[in-house]
Amino acid sequence: SSHFGSSLVQEKGSKVKGSKLHHFMAKPSYSEIPYQRDRLPDRKALFDYCDTHSNHYLSMAEVDNAMFEKYSFGAKPVDEVKKCMLHAFDQAKNYGGDQSGAAADFVEHREFRIFLEIFVKKLDGVNDHKPDKTLEDLKGTKKGKGTTTCCGGCVIA
């Protein structure tokens, strides 16, 4: 009878391990992607999550991995999601038009909001969406004594 008790405990333990499945299913929908202007802190966190090389530039591979890890795309076929992502990536990289060389092949922090907005709109079937062209500085610039400014003007910390 002690053997029966231990297998029951073992089974209970395996149910706890199975909770990963619940976590997997609980990914937020792509509609939660923080492209809206007022969601800057969420967008900064997402950019940092995507930026696995910590170089302030995102490759298509970095964006692809992060988006599929963090968000659910419902019943949309993976190929369709990737097509929308690539289109948004191509439109957003060098959105400012002021880059050359390697930087023009990546989405940098200033272009990230543009990428996210085009991506979500394309997934929703809006093909000719034109985001506001204003680029933003997600990095901030360090100015002595650890103060950070977001746009050269206001001090954040």
Side-chain angles (χ1 to χ4, degrees), residues 42-109:
D42 294 339
R43 193 161 44 254
K44 276 183 151 174
L46 182 57
F47 185 91
D48 289 344
Y49 183 86
C50 293
D51 189 15
T52 54
H53 293 111
S54 302
N55 60 1
H56 302 294
Y57 292 100
L58 301 181
S59 67
M60 182 61 197
E62 285 176 304
V63 169
D64 185 310
N65 289 338
M67 290 296 159
F68 280 101
E69 278 173 21
K70 281 195 84 76
Y71 296 99
S72 160
F73 297 93
K76 293 185 184 304
V78 170
D79 287 351
E80 181 65 24
V81 173
K82 286 183 182 265
K83 200 167 86 178
C84 292
M85 194 182 301
L86 182 61
H87 182 88
F89 190 88
D90 284 343
Q91 269 195 288
K93 68 184 185 186
N94 202 18
Y95 202 78
D98 56 355
Q99 297 165 324
S100 58
D105 294 327
F106 294 91
V107 166
E108 61 166 342
H109 60 103

Coordinates of all heavy atoms in Angstrom, one line a residue, residues 42-109:
D42 N 6.0 49.6 -22.7 CA 5.8 48.2 -23.1 C 6.6 48.0 -24.4 O 7.2 46.9 -24.6 CB 4.3 48.0 -23.5 CG 3.4 48.1 -22.3 OD1 3.9 47.9 -21.2 OD2 2.2 48.3 -22.4
R43 N 6.7 49.0 -25.2 CA 7.4 48.9 -26.5 C 9.0 48.8 -26.2 O 9.6 48.0 -26.9 CB 7.1 50.1 -27.4 CG 7.6 49.9 -28.8 CD 6.9 50.8 -29.8 NE 6.7 52.2 -29.4 CZ 5.6 52.7 -29.0 NH1 4.5 52.0 -28.9 NH2 5.6 54.0 -28.6
K44 N 9.4 49.6 -25.3 CA 10.8 49.5 -24.9 C 11.2 48.1 -24.4 O 12.2 47.5 -24.8 CB 11.2 50.5 -23.8 CG 11.4 51.9 -24.3 CD 11.8 52.8 -23.1 CE 12.8 53.9 -23.6 NZ 13.1 54.8 -22.6
A45 N 10.3 47.5 -23.6 CA 10.6 46.2 -23.0 C 10.5 45.2 -24.2 O 11.4 44.2 -24.2 CB 9.5 45.9 -22.0
L46 N 9.6 45.3 -25.1 CA 9.5 44.4 -26.2 C 10.8 44.5 -27.1 O 11.3 43.5 -27.6 CB 8.3 44.6 -27.0 CG 8.0 43.7 -28.2 CD1 8.0 42.2 -27.8 CD2 6.7 44.0 -28.9
F47 N 11.2 45.7 -27.4 CA 12.4 45.9 -28.2 C 13.6 45.2 -27.5 O 14.4 44.5 -28.2 CB 12.8 47.4 -28.4 CG 13.9 47.7 -29.3 CD1 13.7 47.8 -30.6 CD2 15.2 47.7 -28.8 CE1 14.8 48.1 -31.5 CE2 16.3 47.9 -29.7 CZ 16.1 48.1 -31.0
D48 N 13.8 45.4 -26.2 CA 14.9 44.8 -25.5 C 14.8 43.3 -25.5 O 15.8 42.6 -25.6 CB 14.9 45.2 -24.0 CG 15.4 46.7 -23.9 OD1 15.9 47.2 -24.9 OD2 15.1 47.3 -22.8
Y49 N 13.5 42.7 -25.5 CA 13.3 41.3 -25.6 C 13.7 40.8 -26.9 O 14.4 39.7 -27.1 CB 11.8 41.0 -25.3 CG 11.5 39.5 -25.3 CD1 11.6 38.8 -24.2 CD2 11.1 38.9 -26.5 CE1 11.3 37.4 -24.2 CE2 10.7 37.5 -26.5 CZ 10.9 36.8 -25.3 OH 10.6 35.5 -25.3
C50 N 13.4 41.5 -28.0 CA 13.8 41.2 -29.3 C 15.3 41.3 -29.6 O 15.9 40.5 -30.3 CB 13.1 42.1 -30.4 SG 11.3 41.9 -30.5
D51 N 15.9 42.3 -29.0 CA 17.3 42.6 -29.3 C 18.3 41.7 -28.6 O 19.0 42.1 -27.7 CB 17.5 44.1 -28.9 CG 18.9 44.6 -29.3 OD1 19.5 44.0 -30.2 OD2 19.3 45.7 -28.8
T52 N 18.3 40.4 -29.0 CA 19.1 39.4 -28.4 C 20.6 39.7 -28.5 O 21.4 39.2 -27.7 CB 18.8 38.0 -28.9 OG1 19.0 38.0 -30.3 CG2 17.4 37.6 -28.6
H53 N 21.0 40.5 -29.5 CA 22.4 40.8 -29.6 C 22.8 42.1 -28.9 O 23.9 42.5 -28.9 CB 22.8 41.0 -31.1 CG 22.7 39.7 -31.8 ND1 21.8 39.4 -32.8 CD2 23.5 38.5 -31.7 CE1 21.9 38.2 -33.3 NE2 23.0 37.6 -32.6
S54 N 21.8 42.7 -28.3 CA 22.0 44.0 -27.5 C 22.8 45.0 -28.3 O 23.6 45.7 -27.8 CB 22.7 43.7 -26.2 OG 22.0 42.8 -25.4
N55 N 22.4 45.2 -29.6 CA 23.1 46.1 -30.4 C 22.2 47.3 -30.9 O 22.6 48.1 -31.7 CB 23.8 45.4 -31.6 CG 22.8 44.7 -32.5 OD1 21.6 44.8 -32.3 ND2 23.3 44.1 -33.5
H56 N 21.0 47.4 -30.4 CA 20.0 48.4 -30.8 C 19.6 48.3 -32.2 O 19.0 49.2 -32.7 CB 20.6 49.8 -30.5 CG 20.9 50.0 -29.0 ND1 19.9 49.9 -28.0 CD2 22.1 50.1 -28.4 CE1 20.5 50.1 -26.9 NE2 21.8 50.2 -27.0
Y57 N 19.9 47.2 -32.9 CA 19.3 46.9 -34.2 C 18.7 45.5 -34.2 O 19.2 44.6 -33.6 CB 20.5 46.9 -35.3 CG 21.1 48.2 -35.5 CD1 22.3 48.5 -34.9 CD2 20.5 49.1 -36.3 CE1 22.9 49.7 -35.1 CE2 21.1 50.4 -36.5 CZ 22.3 50.7 -35.9 OH 22.9 51.9 -36.1
L58 N 17.5 45.4 -34.8 CA 16.8 44.1 -34.9 C 16.9 43.5 -36.3 O 16.6 44.2 -37.3 CB 15.4 44.3 -34.5 CG 15.1 44.9 -33.1 CD1 13.6 44.9 -32.9 CD2 15.8 44.1 -32.0
S59 N 17.4 42.3 -36.3 CA 17.4 41.5 -37.6 C 16.0 40.9 -37.7 O 15.2 40.8 -36.8 CB 18.4 40.4 -37.6 OG 18.1 39.4 -36.6
M60 N 15.7 40.5 -39.0 CA 14.4 39.8 -39.2 C 14.3 38.6 -38.3 O 13.3 38.3 -37.8 CB 14.3 39.5 -40.7 CG 13.0 38.8 -41.1 SD 11.5 39.8 -40.8 CE 10.3 38.5 -40.9
A61 N 15.4 37.8 -38.2 CA 15.4 36.6 -37.4 C 15.1 36.9 -35.9 O 14.3 36.2 -35.3 CB 16.8 35.9 -37.5
E62 N 15.7 38.0 -35.4 CA 15.4 38.3 -34.0 C 13.9 38.7 -33.8 O 13.3 38.2 -32.8 CB 16.2 39.6 -33.6 CG 17.7 39.3 -33.3 CD 18.5 40.5 -33.0 OE1 18.5 41.5 -33.8 OE2 19.2 40.5 -31.9
V63 N 13.4 39.4 -34.7 CA 12.0 39.9 -34.6 C 11.1 38.6 -34.7 O 10.1 38.4 -33.9 CB 11.6 40.9 -35.7 CG1 10.2 41.1 -35.8 CG2 12.4 42.2 -35.4
D64 N 11.4 37.8 -35.7 CA 10.6 36.6 -36.0 C 10.5 35.7 -34.7 O 9.4 35.3 -34.2 CB 11.2 35.8 -37.1 CG 10.4 34.6 -37.6 OD1 10.1 33.8 -36.7 OD2 10.2 34.5 -38.8
N65 N 11.7 35.4 -34.1 CA 11.7 34.6 -32.9 C 10.9 35.2 -31.8 O 10.1 34.5 -31.1 CB 13.2 34.3 -32.5 CG 13.9 33.5 -33.4 OD1 13.3 32.7 -34.2 ND2 15.2 33.6 -33.4
A66 N 11.1 36.4 -31.5 CA 10.5 37.1 -30.4 C 9.0 37.1 -30.5 O 8.2 36.9 -29.6 CB 11.1 38.5 -30.2
M67 N 8.5 37.5 -31.7 CA 7.1 37.6 -31.9 C 6.3 36.3 -31.7 O 5.3 36.2 -31.1 CB 6.8 38.2 -33.3 CG 7.2 39.6 -33.5 SD 6.2 40.7 -32.4 CE 7.3 42.1 -32.3
F68 N 7.0 35.2 -32.2 CA 6.3 33.9 -32.1 C 6.4 33.4 -30.7 O 5.6 32.6 -30.2 CB 6.9 32.9 -33.1 CG 6.2 33.1 -34.5 CD1 6.9 33.7 -35.5 CD2 5.0 32.6 -34.7 CE1 6.3 33.9 -36.7 CE2 4.4 32.7 -36.0 CZ 5.1 33.4 -37.0
E69 N 7.5 33.8 -29.9 CA 7.6 33.4 -28.5 C 6.6 34.1 -27.7 O 6.0 33.5 -26.7 CB 9.0 33.7 -28.0 CG 10.1 32.7 -28.3 CD 11.5 33.2 -27.9 OE1 11.6 34.1 -27.1 OE2 12.4 32.7 -28.5
K70 N 6.4 35.4 -27.9 CA 5.6 36.2 -27.0 C 4.1 36.3 -27.4 O 3.3 36.5 -26.5 CB 6.1 37.6 -27.0 CG 7.4 37.8 -26.1 CD 7.7 39.2 -25.8 CE 7.0 39.8 -24.7 NZ 7.4 39.4 -23.3
Y71 N 3.7 36.2 -28.6 CA 2.3 36.4 -29.0 C 1.7 35.2 -29.7 O 2.4 34.4 -30.4 CB 2.3 37.7 -29.9 CG 2.7 38.9 -29.2 CD1 4.0 39.4 -29.4 CD2 1.8 39.5 -28.3 CE1 4.4 40.5 -28.7 CE2 2.2 40.7 -27.6 CZ 3.5 41.2 -27.8 OH 3.9 42.3 -27.1
S72 N 0.4 35.2 -29.6 CA -0.4 34.2 -30.3 C -1.0 34.8 -31.6 O -1.5 36.0 -31.5 CB -1.5 33.7 -29.4 OG -2.5 33.1 -30.2
F73 N -1.0 34.1 -32.7 CA -1.6 34.6 -33.9 C -2.9 33.9 -34.3 O -3.3 33.9 -35.4 CB -0.5 34.6 -35.0 CG 0.6 35.5 -34.7 CD1 1.8 35.0 -34.1 CD2 0.6 36.8 -35.0 CE1 2.8 35.8 -33.7 CE2 1.6 37.7 -34.7 CZ 2.8 37.1 -34.0
G74 N -3.5 33.3 -33.3 CA -4.8 32.6 -33.5 C -4.7 31.6 -34.6 O -3.8 30.8 -34.6
A75 N -5.7 31.6 -35.4 CA -5.8 30.6 -36.5 C -5.0 31.0 -37.7 O -5.1 30.3 -38.7 CB -7.3 30.4 -36.8
K76 N -4.3 32.1 -37.7 CA -3.6 32.6 -38.9 C -2.5 31.6 -39.2 O -1.7 31.3 -38.3 CB -3.0 34.0 -38.7 CG -4.1 35.0 -38.6 CD -3.5 36.4 -38.5 CE -4.6 37.5 -38.3 NZ -5.6 37.5 -39.2
P77 N -2.3 31.2 -40.5 CA -1.2 30.3 -40.8 C 0.1 31.0 -40.6 O 0.3 32.2 -40.8 CB -1.4 30.0 -42.3 CG -2.8 30.5 -42.6 CD -3.2 31.5 -41.6
V78 N 1.1 30.2 -40.1 CA 2.4 30.7 -39.9 C 3.0 31.5 -41.1 O 3.6 32.5 -41.0 CB 3.4 29.6 -39.4 CG1 4.8 30.1 -39.4 CG2 3.0 29.1 -38.0
D79 N 2.8 30.9 -42.3 CA 3.3 31.5 -43.5 C 2.8 32.9 -43.7 O 3.5 33.8 -44.1 CB 3.0 30.6 -44.7 CG 3.9 29.4 -44.8 OD1 4.9 29.3 -43.9 OD2 3.7 28.5 -45.6
E80 N 1.5 33.0 -43.4 CA 0.8 34.3 -43.6 C 1.4 35.3 -42.6 O 1.7 36.5 -42.9 CB -0.7 34.1 -43.4 CG -1.5 35.4 -43.5 CD -1.5 36.0 -45.0 OE1 -1.2 35.2 -45.9 OE2 -1.7 37.2 -45.1
V81 N 1.6 34.9 -41.3 CA 2.1 35.8 -40.3 C 3.5 36.2 -40.7 O 3.9 37.4 -40.6 CB 2.1 35.1 -38.9 CG1 2.9 35.9 -37.9 CG2 0.7 34.8 -38.5
K82 N 4.3 35.3 -41.2 CA 5.7 35.6 -41.6 C 5.7 36.5 -42.8 O 6.6 37.4 -42.9 CB 6.5 34.3 -41.9 CG 6.9 33.6 -40.6 CD 7.7 32.3 -40.9 CE 8.0 31.6 -39.7 NZ 9.3 31.9 -39.1
K83 N 4.8 36.4 -43.7 CA 4.7 37.3 -44.9 C 4.4 38.7 -44.4 O 5.0 39.6 -44.9 CB 3.6 36.7 -45.8 CG 3.8 37.3 -47.2 CD 2.9 36.5 -48.2 CE 1.5 37.1 -48.2 NZ 0.6 36.5 -49.1
C84 N 3.4 38.8 -43.5 CA 3.1 40.2 -43.0 C 4.3 40.8 -42.2 O 4.6 42.0 -42.3 CB 1.9 40.1 -42.0 SG 0.4 39.6 -42.8
M85 N 5.0 39.9 -41.5 CA 6.1 40.4 -40.7 C 7.2 40.9 -41.6 O 7.8 42.0 -41.4 CB 6.6 39.2 -39.8 CG 7.6 39.7 -38.7 SD 8.2 38.3 -37.7 CE 6.7 37.6 -37.0
L86 N 7.5 40.1 -42.6 CA 8.6 40.5 -43.6 C 8.2 41.8 -44.3 O 9.1 42.7 -44.4 CB 8.8 39.4 -44.6 CG 10.0 39.6 -45.6 CD1 11.3 39.8 -44.8 CD2 10.1 38.5 -46.6
H87 N 7.0 41.9 -44.7 CA 6.5 43.1 -45.4 C 6.7 44.3 -44.4 O 7.2 45.4 -44.8 CB 5.1 43.0 -45.8 CG 4.6 44.2 -46.6 ND1 4.7 44.3 -47.9 CD2 4.0 45.3 -46.1 CE1 4.2 45.5 -48.3 NE2 3.7 46.1 -47.2
A88 N 6.3 44.2 -43.2 CA 6.4 45.3 -42.2 C 7.8 45.6 -42.0 O 8.2 46.8 -41.9 CB 5.6 44.9 -40.9
F89 N 8.6 44.6 -41.9 CA 10.1 44.8 -41.6 C 10.7 45.5 -42.8 O 11.4 46.5 -42.5 CB 10.8 43.4 -41.4 CG 12.2 43.5 -40.9 CD1 12.4 43.5 -39.6 CD2 13.2 43.5 -41.8 CE1 13.7 43.6 -39.1 CE2 14.5 43.6 -41.4 CZ 14.8 43.6 -40.0
D90 N 10.4 45.1 -44.0 CA 11.0 45.8 -45.2 C 10.5 47.3 -45.2 O 11.3 48.1 -45.6 CB 10.6 45.1 -46.4 CG 11.4 43.8 -46.6 OD1 12.5 43.7 -46.0 OD2 11.0 42.9 -47.4
Q91 N 9.3 47.5 -44.9 CA 8.8 48.9 -44.9 C 9.4 49.8 -43.8 O 9.6 50.9 -44.0 CB 7.2 48.9 -44.8 CG 6.5 48.8 -46.1 CD 5.1 49.2 -45.9 OE1 4.3 48.4 -45.4 NE2 4.7 50.4 -46.4
A92 N 9.6 49.1 -42.6 CA 10.0 49.9 -41.5 C 11.5 50.2 -41.5 O 12.0 51.3 -41.1 CB 9.7 49.2 -40.2
K93 N 12.3 49.2 -42.0 CA 13.8 49.4 -41.9 C 14.1 50.6 -42.8 O 13.6 50.8 -43.9 CB 14.6 48.2 -42.3 CG 14.4 47.8 -43.8 CD 15.1 46.5 -44.1 CE 15.1 46.2 -45.6 NZ 15.6 44.9 -45.9
N94 N 14.9 51.5 -42.3 CA 15.3 52.7 -43.0 C 14.1 53.6 -43.3 O 14.0 54.3 -44.3 CB 16.1 52.4 -44.3 CG 16.9 53.7 -44.7 OD1 17.1 54.6 -43.9 ND2 17.3 53.7 -45.9
Y95 N 13.1 53.5 -42.4 CA 11.9 54.4 -42.6 C 12.2 55.8 -42.5 O 11.6 56.6 -43.2 CB 10.9 54.0 -41.4 CG 9.4 54.4 -41.8 CD1 8.7 53.6 -42.6 CD2 8.8 55.5 -41.3 CE1 7.4 53.9 -42.9 CE2 7.5 55.8 -41.6 CZ 6.8 55.0 -42.4 OH 5.5 55.3 -42.7
G96 N 13.2 56.1 -41.7 CA 13.7 57.5 -41.7 C 14.5 57.9 -42.9 O 14.6 59.1 -43.2
G97 N 14.9 57.0 -43.8 CA 15.5 57.3 -45.0 C 16.9 57.8 -44.9 O 17.5 58.3 -45.8
D98 N 17.5 57.8 -43.7 CA 18.8 58.5 -43.4 C 19.9 57.5 -43.1 O 20.9 57.9 -42.6 CB 18.6 59.4 -42.3 CG 18.1 58.8 -41.0 OD1 17.8 57.6 -41.0 OD2 18.1 59.4 -39.9
Q99 N 19.7 56.2 -43.4 CA 20.7 55.2 -43.1 C 21.3 54.7 -44.4 O 20.7 54.6 -45.4 CB 20.1 54.1 -42.3 CG 19.6 54.6 -41.0 CD 18.7 53.5 -40.4 OE1 17.9 52.8 -41.0 NE2 18.7 53.4 -39.1
S100 N 22.6 54.2 -44.2 CA 23.2 53.5 -45.3 C 23.9 52.3 -44.7 O 24.1 52.2 -43.5 CB 24.2 54.4 -46.0 OG 25.1 54.9 -45.1
G101 N 24.4 51.4 -45.6 CA 25.2 50.3 -45.1 C 24.3 49.3 -44.2 O 23.1 49.2 -44.5
A102 N 24.9 48.7 -43.2 CA 24.2 47.7 -42.5 C 23.0 48.2 -41.7 O 22.0 47.5 -41.7 CB 25.2 47.1 -41.4
A103 N 23.0 49.4 -41.2 CA 21.9 49.9 -40.5 C 20.6 50.0 -41.3 O 19.5 49.8 -40.8 CB 22.2 51.3 -40.0
A104 N 20.7 50.2 -42.6 CA 19.6 50.2 -43.5 C 18.9 48.9 -43.6 O 17.8 48.8 -44.2 CB 19.9 50.8 -44.8
D105 N 19.6 47.8 -43.2 CA 19.0 46.4 -43.4 C 18.4 45.9 -42.1 O 17.9 44.8 -42.1 CB 20.1 45.4 -43.8 CG 20.7 45.7 -45.2 OD1 19.9 46.2 -46.0 OD2 21.9 45.5 -45.4
F106 N 18.4 46.7 -41.1 CA 17.8 46.3 -39.8 C 16.7 47.3 -39.4 O 16.7 48.4 -39.9 CB 18.9 46.3 -38.7 CG 19.9 45.3 -38.9 CD1 21.1 45.5 -39.7 CD2 19.8 44.0 -38.4 CE1 22.0 44.6 -39.9 CE2 20.7 43.0 -38.6 CZ 21.9 43.3 -39.4
V107 N 15.9 46.9 -38.4 CA 14.9 47.8 -37.8 C 15.6 48.3 -36.5 O 16.0 47.5 -35.7 CB 13.6 47.2 -37.5 CG1 12.8 48.0 -36.6 CG2 12.8 46.9 -38.8
E108 N 15.8 49.6 -36.5 CA 16.5 50.1 -35.2 C 15.4 50.6 -34.3 O 14.2 50.7 -34.6 CB 17.5 51.2 -35.6 CG 16.9 52.4 -36.3 CD 17.8 53.6 -36.3 OE1 18.8 53.6 -35.5 OE2 17.6 54.5 -37.1
H109 N 15.9 51.0 -33.1 CA 14.9 51.4 -32.1 C 14.0 52.5 -32.5 O 12.8 52.5 -32.2 CB 15.7 51.8 -30.8 CG 16.6 53.0 -31.0 ND1 16.3 54.2 -30.6 CD2 17.8 53.0 -31.6 CE1 17.3 55.0 -30.9 NE2 18.2 54.4 -31.5

